[in-house]
Amino acid sequence: MSIKFTIIIPCYNAEMWIKTCIMSALNQTYENVEVIFVDNESTDNSFEIAKEIQGTHPHLIVDSAPNLYKYSWEEPVEKALSRSSGEYFTILGADDYVSNEYVEKIVKIISTNPDKIKLLQTPIIGVRGGTGQHTGLIKHSYRNLQEFKTLLFNTCPVTTPSVVYSKELHDKGIIRWDSQNYLGAVDYDLYFNLADHDCFIYPYPAWIGYYYRWHEEQATWGMHRETTNYDEIIKEFWKNKWKQN
């Protein structure tokens, strides 16, 4: 039986990009895939656009979740996971898009060693706003969990939008986001937590189809404008925890 795969699209005010995003998820060549769109109290027409697409693609799941934490996708992602039936999932940014063979390539990678590959990241290609201009490849590499842990204290060694997760790890409580304490920096904390549980994010070296859109309104820049340095707080917490262990 083929792996069932879930694409989760959390969305907050992405009306300029959301149709491209959703359609890229719906047009996958891999058949055993579900797409779940969850709006995070957008004030623009994002939700209406998703509902319109659902009218012609009834297998698209459309839902909503309260917006409790700035720059975080925890609420819509958790809502999507409560409805998902996939064995693996990925979180596609509402302003990003993927190639048609993206999920098919992911499943092929996982299928080479499904007992070992529970987490996966791949390189991403940056795209400048609505121009379609590519800004270059972003990728990370490391050989083992210890090297990954060392890198974590220097910078985030993960292309967050590309990460593929085993749903089993979420069901066990290993994948969790602490938005109440870290807002949009929760993914950085998540990677420390995964490493703490000896969970290895396999760094696949080749680009397989993720396009990451750079624009002024994205949450990345919002977190950079925060006066609290959440990354340093996260580093200090895990430095102390691992020192005690």
Side-chain angles (χ1 to χ4, degrees):
M1 183 178 293
S2 64
I3 292 172
K4 184 163 187 180
F5 196 89
T6 304
I7 300 176
I8 297 172
I9 304 175
C11 178
Y12 178 72
N13 288 355
E15 64 179 3
M16 288 182 63
W17 327 109
I18 194 58
K19 183 175 182 179
T20 297
C21 174
I22 293 175
M23 294 310 300
S24 76
L26 291 173
N27 288 332
Q28 292 299 301
T29 56
Y30 188 73
E31 293 184 359
N32 198 9
V33 60
E34 64 181 358
V35 181
I36 306 177
F37 168 93
V38 182
D39 187 69
N40 204 194
E41 295 189 340
S42 293
T43 58
D44 64 5
N45 293 316
S46 298
F47 185 76
E48 288 74 17
I49 293 170
K51 290 295 289 184
E52 182 178 346
I53 295 172
Q54 187 186 42
T56 54
H57 298 79
H59 55 290
L60 171 66
I61 299 171
V62 176
D63 210 328
S64 60
N67 191 330
L68 304 178
Y69 308 109
K70 286 195 299 182
Y71 313 123
S72 171
W73 59 22
E74 177 182 354
E75 313 97 293
V77 169
E78 288 289 3
K79 184 63 171 288
L81 288 170
S82 73
R83 300 192 59 175
S84 72
S85 57
E87 298 161 70
Y88 287 83
F89 68 93
T90 194
I91 304 166
L92 174 59
D95 40 9
D96 301 338
Y97 57 100
V98 291
S99 65
N100 291 355
E101 297 181 347
Y102 184 63
V103 173
E104 184 176 346
K105 291 178 180 179
I106 288 172
V107 171
K108 284 182 179 178
I109 296 167
I110 294 171
S111 297
T112 61
N113 199 336
D115 293 330
K116 186 175 181 180
I117 302 176
K118 300 298 183 182
L119 297 157
L120 169 74
Q121 68 161 312
T122 63
I124 59 179
I125 286 180
V127 178
R128 193 180 308 281
T131 66
Q133 178 185 356
H134 293 176
T135 61
L137 191 71
I138 305 170
K139 64 183 296 185
H140 299 284
S141 63
Y142 41 84
R143 292 163 292 184
N144 51 54
L145 189 59
Q146 187 54 52
E147 185 177 347
F148 179 77
K149 286 182 174 181
T150 300
L151 288 171
L152 275 171
F153 287 104
N154 297 320
T155 186
C156 181
V158 181
T159 52
T160 294
S162 77
V163 178
V164 174
Y165 308 84
S166 167
K167 179 73 162 13
E168 178 186 11
L169 294 179
H170 176 267
D171 294 343
K172 289 180 177 179
I174 297 173
I175 295 173
R176 89 294 182 265
W177 295 272
D178 187 5
S179 301
Q180 185 172 354
N181 287 314
Y182 301 131
L183 299 182
V186 287
D187 294 296
Y188 192 31
D189 176 64
L190 170 64
Y191 306 141
F192 277 99
N193 186 59
L194 289 170
D196 192 50
H197 284 83
D198 295 326
C199 296
F200 185 70
I201 304 174
Y202 175 57
Y204 192 72
W207 179 79
I208 61 171
Y210 196 105
Y211 293 95
Y212 179 78
R213 199 186 301 272
W214 295 101
H215 61 92
E216 293 181 357
E217 301 302 318
Q218 65 190 143
T220 301
W221 304 129
M223 281 303 297
H224 285 175
R225 290 190 290 268
E226 285 289 311
T227 55
T228 301
N229 191 330
Y230 290 99
D231 286 359
E232 289 303 317
I233 293 172
I234 291 167
K235 287 179 188 178
E236 190 64 23
F237 172 84
W238 287 101
K239 178 181 178 181
N240 292 332
K241 181 172 182 179
W242 287 347
K243 185 183 297 183
Q244 292 169 3
N245 293 340

